[in-house]
């Protein structure tokens, strides 16, 4: 009798164990992290809304100024603060990705984006709104840095870069439509859409995307502070040239001395000494600066040289920007079959031709070709040269390489409008 009871108990226990195992197996696909590369459309959704958020205020600055009770020139700091935080936030959040891994970077960047958006939506004062815009931009820059680090190939990076160009080109019109229909605050909140991709990307984090720092590897706070000071001075260069020039020279000198003392710190000495990284970053800076110069100059040139009205010029430029952004993906897709020298020859050739056309052309469609060529070269460089820059670094330093490369690219966005103002807009 006892033997029969024990056998029955054993069978029941085995049955329960089998059922539990089956339940766990069925539940595993719903809870376990996914394996494999993150689908590129999720990366694009996470990275590109930042471009629309950056350009959304362009056509609604007067409305924003009236609502906040400030002048239109003062309201432009809402654009400058966003550009500054994008430039500074990219390497800082990329450093967090390198040290703490994917999930930590995603969670902090997402929290910054949501928190900044809430500030922008609720703040009645300009200083608090500026803080919200800067927080938004830092969060968006962090998400973009993560997306670029996970792209893995120039073809996939091309999708993200083309999305940057397309949403950046659509940003002013989108901002104006949202402002007219609802509020300018909603226009400044479009970048929060990126948060929708964070849970999906996080599910692919089976392990940190970069190893955490060793216990003895303390955070290089001084290096991060000096890089932030240098980026801040460079972003302010168009607004306060004399003070920013002196500050940037001082910050650069101190940063160089610090890198010599701590070559494995926040700015790795081995990385910035690599010709492939340095050449890629500086070329991206030049092509980005040229594009943003054209972006602000061509509408004025279309009016003065071709006699186009503002509406026609704006519509034509929007079409050119969208077309050039889409075409840049073709270069990114083909770059895997091209040598680095050939890719750079295409980028430099198209960028130089676009600048030359803008200088000499007076026919409207040809000036639009200049805009198309400018954005093609800039977004193409962001897609392809970022992969060149990342490939020049050891695996643990690739997020840092992406962050520093993106910093150089975004500095072109700060310099371009100032160059346009000096050469065209005040002429």
């Amino acid at each position: 009798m006892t033997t029969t009871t024990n056998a029955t108990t054993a069978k029941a226990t085995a049955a329960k164990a089998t059922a539990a195992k089956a339940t766990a197996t069925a539940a595993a696909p719903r809870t376990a992290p996914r394996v494999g590369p993150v689908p590129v459309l999720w990366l694009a959704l996470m990275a590109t809304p930042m471009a629309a958020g950056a350009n959304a205020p362009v056509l609604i600055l007067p409305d924003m100024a009236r609502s906040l009770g400030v002048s239109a020139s003062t309201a432009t700091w809402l654009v400058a603060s966003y550009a500054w935080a994008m430039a500074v936030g990219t390497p800082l959040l990329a450093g967090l990705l390198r040290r703490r891994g994917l999930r930590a970077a995603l969670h902090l960047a997402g929290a910054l984006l949501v928190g900044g958006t809430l500030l922008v939506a609720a703040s009645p004062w300009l200083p608090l709104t500026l803080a919200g815009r800067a927080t938004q931009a830092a969060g968006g820059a962090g998400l973009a840095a993560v997306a670029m680090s996970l792209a893995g190939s120039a073809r996939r990076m091309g999708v993200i870069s083309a999305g940057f160009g397309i949403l950046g080109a659509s940003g002013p019109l989108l901002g104006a439509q949202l402002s007219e229909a609802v509020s300018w605050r909603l226009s400044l909140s479009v970048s929060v859409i990126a948060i929708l991709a964070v849970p999906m990307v996080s599910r692919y984090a089976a392990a940190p995307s970069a190893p955490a720092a060793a216990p003895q590897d303390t955070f290089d706070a001084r290096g991060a502070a000096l890089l932030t000071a240098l980026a801040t001075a460079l972003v302010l260069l168009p607004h306060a040239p004399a003070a920013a020039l002196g500050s940037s020279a001082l910050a650069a000198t101190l940063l160089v001395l610090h890198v010599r003392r701590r070559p494995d710190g926040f700015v790795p000495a081995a990385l910035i000494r690599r010709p492939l990284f340095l050449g890629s970053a500086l070329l991206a800076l030049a092509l980005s600066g040229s594009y943003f110069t054209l972006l602000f100059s061509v509408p004025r040139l279309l009016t003065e040289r071709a006699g186009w009205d503002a509406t026609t010029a704006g519509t034509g430029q929007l079409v050119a920007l969208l077309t050039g952004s889409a075409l840049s993906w073709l270069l990114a897709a083909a770059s895997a079959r091209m040598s680095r020298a050939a890719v750079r020859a295409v980028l430099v050739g198209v960028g130089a031709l676009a600048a030359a056309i803008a200088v000499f052309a007076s026919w409207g469609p040809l000036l639009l070709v200049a805009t198309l060529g400018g954005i093609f070269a800039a977004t193409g460089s962001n897609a392809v040269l970022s992969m060149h820059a990342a490939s020049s670094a050891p695996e643990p330093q690739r997020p840092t390489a992406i962050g520093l490369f993106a910093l150089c690219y975004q500095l072109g966005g700060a310099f371009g409008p100032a160059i346009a103002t000096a050469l065209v807009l005040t002429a």
Side-chain angles (χ1 to χ4, degrees):
M1 182 72 172
T2 303
T3 303
T4 304
T5 302
N6 290 342
T8 303
T9 303
K11 289 180 180 180
T13 303
K16 289 180 180 180
T18 302
K21 184 176 180 181
T23 302
T25 302
R30 293 192 296 269
T31 59
R34 297 186 178 185
V35 179
V38 184
V40 70
L41 292 181
W42 285 116
L43 296 180
L45 176 61
M46 190 169 72
T48 57
M50 179 179 67
N55 293 344
V58 170
L59 299 178
I60 58 174
L61 278 173
D63 295 336
M64 294 161 54
R66 283 192 296 270
S67 176
L68 294 169
V70 298
S71 66
S73 61
T74 302
T76 59
W77 282 102
L78 289 167
V79 178
S81 66
Y82 199 93
W84 169 78
M86 282 172 56
V88 170
T90 302
L92 292 179
L93 270 295
L96 178 66
L97 174 63
R98 172 189 171 190
R99 291 177 55 83
R100 300 300 181 189
L102 174 62
R103 285 182 174 170
L106 280 175
H107 293 164
L108 178 58
L112 289 172
L113 178 59
V114 173
T117 301
L118 291 175
L119 274 179
V120 169
S123 169
W125 307 294
L126 178 64
L128 197 57
T129 308
L130 287 173
R133 285 289 282 169
T135 306
Q136 268 186 323
L143 295 180
V146 170
M148 293 169 69
S149 297
L150 295 176
S153 70
R155 184 186 184 93
R156 284 160 56 86
M157 186 61 203
V159 176
I160 297 173
S161 292
F164 273 127
I166 291 171
L167 288 185
S170 306
L173 182 59
L174 176 63
Q177 293 297 323
L178 291 176
S179 178
E180 182 178 353
V182 183
S183 167
W184 61 266
R185 295 181 186 274
L186 180 61
S187 301
L188 300 192
S189 302
V190 293
S191 58
V192 80
I193 295 172
I195 203 68
L196 298 175
V198 171
M200 294 302 301
V201 175
S202 183
R203 292 181 66 183
Y204 286 81
S209 62
Q216 69 273 16
D217 182 16
T218 57
F219 178 64
D220 182 14
R222 182 176 297 178
L226 289 173
L227 181 64
T228 300
L230 176 60
T232 301
L234 291 174
V235 168
L236 293 176
L237 193 59
H239 306 280
L245 188 61
S247 299
S248 59
L250 177 61
T253 302
L254 293 176
L255 182 59
V256 169
L257 294 175
H258 176 75
V259 169
R260 288 179 178 176
R261 286 193 299 268
R262 186 165 178 178
D264 58 344
F266 191 81
V267 181
L271 177 62
I272 60 176
R273 288 172 184 163
R274 293 180 184 270
L276 178 58
F277 172 81
L278 202 57
S280 300
L282 293 179
L283 180 55
L285 170 61
L287 292 173
S288 173
S290 176
Y291 158 61
F292 281 100
T293 302
L294 291 171
L295 181 66
F296 284 84
S297 299
V298 167
R300 175 75 172 269
L301 297 178
L302 286 169
T303 300
E304 293 183 348
R305 297 181 186 175
W308 289 17
D309 58 46
T311 302
T312 305
T315 303
Q317 188 174 39
L318 177 61
V319 172
L321 292 172
L322 295 176
T323 305
S325 298
L327 290 176
S328 69
W329 181 81
L330 298 178
L331 175 64
S335 64
R337 300 185 297 274
M338 302 168 63
S339 66
R340 288 173 179 166
V343 170
R344 295 183 182 218
V346 171
L347 292 172
V348 172
V350 173
L353 181 61
I357 290 174
V359 171
F360 297 107
S362 58
W363 186 43
L366 201 53
L367 288 170
L368 294 180
V369 170
T371 300
L372 188 154
I375 194 171
F376 172 87
T379 55
S381 72
N382 193 30
V384 181
L385 298 184
S386 62
M387 294 296 99
H388 292 180
S391 68
S392 70
E395 185 67 31
Q397 292 182 352
R398 290 191 176 180
T400 300
I402 290 289
L404 295 176
F405 174 90
L407 170 61
C408 291
Y409 183 87
Q410 288 162 5
L411 286 175
F415 297 153
I419 297 172
T421 299
L423 296 180
V424 176
L425 301 182
T426 58

